[in-house]
């Protein structure tokens, strides 16, 4: 009786060329839902917790191997030699396992592809469970398609038992009528697989070692071969070109959103909302139309995101709202508001109940609780305390042309419109700055910093210097209407004292 704990080895085939992508990038490195196809494939099989996992590479070897090692450092990279075909790919992986083990491995071997990104761990578990319960030598995952062109066809006896697989190019007209296809995903008994591959030749229409031939070989040896038929064709679908890639991407996104909606997330318009597979959302999060959440973005309870946000690796705290914002590598704490039209760059931390408003760009800036940067500005390489109000149009001049410098602004600060912080500079707690101040020197706590010269009004200047202009005429009319003598000057100091 085979035990549930029997050894599991996994082989992911990733040596193919994928020429129909018409891309300099290897096919399986093309991304959907925030991961390359090979990333989805690896995570589906890694979740089975196999004893060993190999990926077979050949085409674009360096790029593909590097990405696989980055995604799954424990994966064994196996090089396929010049012998073509899926059979050879599996054979070299099996040999690598045997070498690493120091003796032929046994147990169960799962073979999967690097380009079937919607395949789930659950379906693989089912395949393995059937294989073990029924003591099969081979269990193949199949699907029944309207158009089976190009696929290997499942050959069955009159009683319905699986007899083997015929590749499309080798099939007779009658065999091409068969609509049950080989997904290319199988579970094998390790010893049977090793022995079967020894008998596989390249004597076929494509001159390749077909893995599919192992099924017929097993049947001939009197072993049990069976199929698990899935009615979810997406799970066995590979992306061979960019049209299929987009279709798979849209379907995966639909599935991701459906899972989040069932987990308590409101998605107002699933059609215009894109959520990567690694994003995490909480109950009662609302995603408004046109929002794209990428990478390790994490949104906490009651937060509202959108419309029209693109967020990559952004953390959003409870009940925060982020509207029409482009952000990456930022943290928005509970109750804070961002947008509309904000640009959050990496290292932005917005404190609880803080605000980053319209047309603000932030980078590498820590903003304390309840502090507000409401309109039109740039804050970079800065630290801002709590309960501070940064006026409209404020800018940290953090770059001297060579190096970046820090701006440190305290708590309870009020800065006037268009203040420029020429870093390095510090503004103490409770300090104010006047409108248009250019702060080149630090401001002590509680001080009002003014850097603009007092205003002077040159009376009549326009009338004298632009005679005959529309401005001069309007000015003359206004002055006459006010019955103010054009020769009497106003004392500027009296104005300032108000
Ligand atoms: C294969 C199956 C076919 C099945 C179809 C499902 C064989 C002989 N045929 O056909 O029955 O219906 O998949 O998609 O197995 N690969 C390697 N090394 C190679 C050749 C391929 O690693 O030498 C990898 C590819 O990268 C790919 C997978 O194996 O991930 C399938 O290869 P592909 O050329 O697409 O096989 P098909 O001819 O489509
Ligand atoms: Ca294929």
């Amino acid at each position: 009786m085979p035990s549930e704990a029997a050894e599991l080895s996994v082989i992911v085939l990733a040596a193919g060329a994928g020429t129909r992508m018409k891309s300099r990038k290897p096919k399986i490195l093309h991304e959907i839902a925030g991961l390359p196809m090979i990333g989805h494939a690896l995570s589906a099989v890694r979740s089975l917790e196999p004893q060993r996992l190999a990926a077979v590479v050949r085409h674009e070897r360096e790029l593909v191997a590097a990405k696989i090692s980055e995604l799954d450092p424990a994966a064994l990279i196996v090089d396929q030699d010049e012998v073509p075909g899926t059979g050879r790919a599996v054979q070299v992986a099996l040999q690598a396992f045997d070498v690493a083990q120091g003796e032929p491995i046994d147990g169960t071997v799962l073979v999967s592809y690097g380009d079937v990104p919607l395949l789930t761990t659950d379906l693989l578990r089912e395949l393995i469970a059937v294989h073990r319960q029924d003591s099969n030598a081979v269990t193949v995952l199949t699907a029944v398609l309207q158009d089976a062109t190009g696929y290997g066809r499942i050959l069955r006896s009159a009683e319905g038992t699986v007899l083997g697989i015929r590749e499309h190019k080798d099939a007779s007209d009658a065999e091409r009528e068969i609509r049950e296809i080989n997904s290319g995903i199988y579970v094998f008994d390790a010893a049977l697989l090793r022995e079967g591959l020894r008998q596989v030749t390249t004597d076929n229409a494509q001159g390749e070692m077909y893995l599919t031939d192992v099924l017929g070989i097993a049947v001939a040896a009197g072993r049990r071969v069976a199929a698990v038929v899935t009615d979810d064709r997406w799970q066995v679908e590979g992306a061979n070109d960019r049209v299929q890639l987009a279709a798979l991407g849209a379907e995966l996104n639909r599935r991701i959103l459906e899972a989040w909606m069932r987990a308590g997330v409101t998605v107002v318009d699933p059609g215009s909302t894109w959520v990567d597979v690694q994003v995490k959302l909480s109950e009662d999060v609302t995603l408004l139309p046109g929002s794209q959440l990428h990478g390790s973005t994490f949104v906490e309870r009651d937060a509202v995101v959108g419309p029209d946000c693109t967020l990559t690796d952004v953390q959003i705290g409870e009940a925060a709202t982020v509207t029409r914002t482009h952000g990456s590598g930022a943290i928005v704490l509970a109750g804070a508001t961002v947008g509309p039209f904000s640009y959050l760059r990496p290292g932005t931390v917005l404190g609880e109940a803080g605000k980053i408003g319209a047309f603000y760009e932030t980078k590498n800036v820590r903003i304390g609780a309840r502090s507000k940067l409401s309109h039109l500005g740039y804050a970079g390489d800065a630290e801002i305390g709590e309960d501070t109000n940064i006026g409209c149009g404020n800018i940290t001049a953090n770059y001297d042309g060579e190096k970046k410098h820090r701006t440190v602004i305290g708590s309870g600060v009020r800065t006037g419109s268009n203040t420029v912080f020429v870093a390095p500079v510090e503004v103490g707690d409770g300090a104010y700055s006047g409108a248009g101040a250019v702060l080149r020197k630090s401001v002590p706590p509680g001080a009002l910093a003014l850097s603009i010269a007092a205003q002077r009004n040159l009376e009549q200047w326009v009338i004298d210097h632009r005679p005959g202009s529309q401005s001069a005429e309007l000015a003359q009319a206004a002055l006459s209407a006010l019955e103010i003598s054009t020769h009497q000057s106003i004392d500027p100091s009296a104005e300032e004292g108000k």
Side-chain angles (χ1 to χ4, degrees):
M1 186 65 201
S3 81
E4 266 295 307
E7 262 183 53
L8 177 66
S9 306
V10 172
I11 300 171
V12 177
L13 303 189
T19 47
R20 277 178 284 169
M21 276 289 173
K22 304 221 169 106
S23 175
R24 270 180 283 181
K25 181 157 71 176
K27 172 167 96 169
I28 57 173
L29 301 193
H30 282 261
E31 293 192 3
I32 59 173
L35 271 184
M37 285 199 275
I38 184 69
H40 292 286
L42 289 169
S43 91
V45 292
R46 181 53 81 187
S47 299
L48 297 166
E49 298 177 2
Q51 272 67 37
R52 53 188 78 79
L53 190 165
V56 184
V57 299
R58 179 169 160 85
H59 177 77
E60 294 277 16
R61 194 255 178 228
E62 296 309 319
L63 279 174
V64 172
K67 184 52 96 176
I68 290 170
S69 296
E70 177 195 322
L71 291 162
D72 189 336
L76 180 67
I77 307 287
V78 178
D79 288 284
Q80 188 173 350
D81 56 18
E82 56 292 332
V83 181
T86 49
R88 182 59 178 174
V90 168
Q91 193 171 43
V92 294
L94 198 54
Q95 284 165 359
F97 284 154
D98 291 350
V99 167
Q101 177 82 5
E103 58 177 334
I105 62 156
D106 56 21
T108 308
V109 179
L110 167 70
V111 175
S112 187
Y113 288 167
D115 64 350
V116 282
L118 266 64
L119 182 65
T120 61
T121 305
D122 282 350
L123 183 55
L124 292 173
R125 272 208 190 97
E126 185 191 331
L127 187 68
I128 294 166
V130 168
H131 180 81
R132 288 176 173 166
Q133 272 155 27
D134 297 350
S135 301
N136 294 338
V138 187
T139 311
V140 55
L141 182 63
T142 72
V144 177
L145 302 186
Q146 280 303 325
D147 180 6
T149 308
Y151 287 97
R153 308 299 209 285
I154 304 299
L155 307 177
R156 289 183 185 261
S157 69
E159 296 75 43
T161 60
V162 175
L163 298 174
I165 298 173
R166 184 83 73 227
E167 288 308 290
H168 182 93
K169 286 185 176 142
D170 299 285
S172 65
D173 287 346
E175 286 166 343
R176 286 183 183 180
E177 296 295 309
I178 298 169
R179 287 168 46 227
E180 187 183 3
I181 61 101
N182 169 27
S183 68
I185 295 142
Y186 328 70
V187 187
F188 295 94
D189 168 71
L192 172 279
L193 180 61
R194 189 180 295 105
E195 181 48 35
L197 285 169
R198 236 175 250 143
Q199 297 176 41
V200 170
T201 68
T202 56
D203 184 17
N204 51 54
Q206 302 183 80
E208 293 181 0
M209 273 183 75
Y210 288 167
L211 177 60
T212 46
D213 285 353
V214 172
L215 279 77
I217 291 166
V219 170
R223 303 289 303 272
R224 274 183 66 92
V225 175
V228 167
V229 189
T230 178
D231 55 12
D232 183 3
R233 70 175 176 94
W234 290 104
Q235 289 213 45
V236 300
E237 192 138 318
N240 292 309
D241 61 26
R242 298 188 202 226
V243 176
Q244 276 176 313
L245 185 72
L248 283 164
E251 177 60 19
L252 181 52
N253 186 60
R254 199 190 64 72
R255 291 177 181 211
I256 291 168
L257 292 178
E258 189 175 306
W260 283 123
M261 288 188 275
R262 296 203 187 286
V265 172
T266 296
V267 181
V268 173
D269 179 20
S272 69
T273 304
W274 293 80
V275 173
D276 282 358
V277 70
Q278 281 159 331
V279 167
K280 290 200 167 48
L281 306 172
S282 312
E283 259 177 49
D284 288 317
V285 160
T286 299
L287 302 182
L288 297 175
S291 294
Q292 300 158 39
L293 308 187
H294 299 302
S296 60
T297 292
F298 172 43
V299 187
E300 294 191 63
R301 274 192 96 97
D302 296 322
V304 179
V305 176
D308 300 327
C309 288
T310 302
L311 306 176
T312 305
D313 304 330
V314 174
Q315 285 180 42
I316 298 171
E318 196 170 320
T321 65
V322 179
T323 308
R324 291 187 208 280
T325 290
H326 190 98
S328 64
I331 298 173
V332 175
L333 294 179
T337 65
V338 179
F341 308 110
S342 305
Y343 180 26
L344 310 182
R345 291 169 53 202
T348 297
V349 180
L350 178 59
E352 283 187 21
K355 179 178 178 186
I356 295 173
F359 304 103
Y360 234 103
E361 174 177 341
T362 60
K363 182 214 73 170
N364 193 20
V365 53
R366 183 173 282 275
I367 299 163
R370 299 170 304 281
S371 286
K372 295 185 166 64
L373 294 77
S374 296
H375 344 261
L376 301 168
Y378 171 65
D381 300 314
E383 198 158 317
I384 299 170
E386 298 182 350
D387 300 296
T388 282
N389 191 77
I390 301 294
C392 179
N394 281 209
I395 282 171
T396 54
N398 57 329
Y399 185 48
D400 65 9
E402 298 290 335
K403 285 193 193 128
K404 302 285 172 69
H405 300 280
R406 288 190 71 72
T407 297
V408 179
I409 300 169
S411 294
V413 169
R414 302 280 179 271
T415 64
S417 296
N418 273 8
T419 295
V420 178
F421 306 89
V422 182
V425 70
E426 283 191 34
V427 177
D429 289 348
Y432 276 46
S433 69
V438 177
L439 305 181
R440 298 173 193 278
K441 293 191 298 189
S442 290
V443 181
L448 168 63
L450 301 171
S451 71
I452 300 279
Q455 181 172 334
R456 278 199 303 153
N457 292 336
L458 302 181
E459 297 294 329
Q460 284 218 91
W461 188 93
V462 177
I463 293 165
D464 293 345
H465 291 82
R466 299 286 183 271
S469 69
Q470 187 187 36
S471 299
E473 278 167 19
L474 289 168
Q476 189 65 67
L479 290 171
S480 303
L482 285 168
E483 295 181 334
I484 291 172
S485 162
T486 53
H487 298 290
Q488 190 186 323
S489 67
I490 294 164
D491 178 3
S493 61
E495 273 299 295
E496 213 175 44
K498 275 190 184 169

